[in-house]
Amino acid sequence: MADDCVFCKIMKREINADIVYEDDAVVAFKDINPAAPVHILILPRKHIPTLLDMEKDDEALMGHLHSVANEIARAFELDKKGYRTVINCGSDAGQIVFHLHLHLLGGRPLLQTIANGRGA
Ligand code: AMP
Ligand code: ZN
């Protein structure tokens, strides 16, 4: 947990969010500024700032994030037409919240741009 992190605050229920999934290791909630009909952020409870900060011990956690993405995608009926996942890492990628998170985007065709989930 990091005191000044907006996503840690959501997990501590200090900031409201529309939480759609949680377990011992992972929390998922709707993006406040959705870029697609379904736009959900999936994050580890562990405060890892960026993908570059993940450690060898986090490999299983990163796999679990993707299993949860599948589970949520099915719950939101994205399993027929598919979906996109995005992890922005650092400033050039446009990362604005420095608590590692996976964007899950779907519910409309997403163009094949250099994907950050926005303008796609
Ligand atoms: P990124 O560029 O990958 O760091 O994206 C951060 C995402 O977090 C953006 O899509 C924001 O819309 C979203 N976001 C920021 N604050 C909140 C919040 N309080 N609740 C839900 N989503 C948020
Ligand atoms: Zn955090």
Side-chain angles (χ1 to χ4, degrees):
M1 291 281 177
D3 288 343
D4 57 348
C5 170
V6 61
F7 287 177
C8 284
K9 285 182 178 167
I10 287 173
M11 284 187 279
K12 287 186 280 185
R13 303 298 204 271
E14 290 175 10
I15 294 178
N16 281 332
D18 192 348
I19 295 176
V20 299
Y21 175 94
E22 60 185 325
D23 64 26
D24 287 350
V26 165
V27 176
F29 48 85
K30 292 185 180 172
D31 195 293
I32 203 168
N33 182 21
V38 179
H39 187 170
I40 291 165
L41 304 175
I42 307 169
L43 46 134
R45 289 191 185 275
K46 180 179 176 187
H47 180 86
I48 302 170
T50 81
L51 193 56
L52 280 165
D53 299 303
M54 80 168 268
E55 296 167 348
K56 200 83 183 151
D57 281 355
D58 299 321
E59 285 181 359
L61 180 59
M62 295 305 294
H64 182 56
L65 282 185
H66 287 82
S67 292
V68 169
N70 264 336
E71 194 174 318
I72 294 172
R74 289 194 179 95
F76 282 81
E77 299 180 339
L78 300 179
D79 48 320
K80 292 214 166 46
K81 291 194 167 176
Y83 64 90
R84 176 177 292 160
T85 58
V86 176
I87 297 177
N88 295 319
C89 179
S91 55
D92 268 6
Q95 185 175 1
I96 51 173
V97 178
F98 285 81
H99 180 131
L100 194 157
H101 53 278
L102 189 82
H103 294 253
L104 187 162
L105 297 142
R108 67 167 171 86
L110 300 165
L111 302 178
Q112 299 299 316
T113 55
I114 298 174
N116 65 359
R118 304 251 169 243

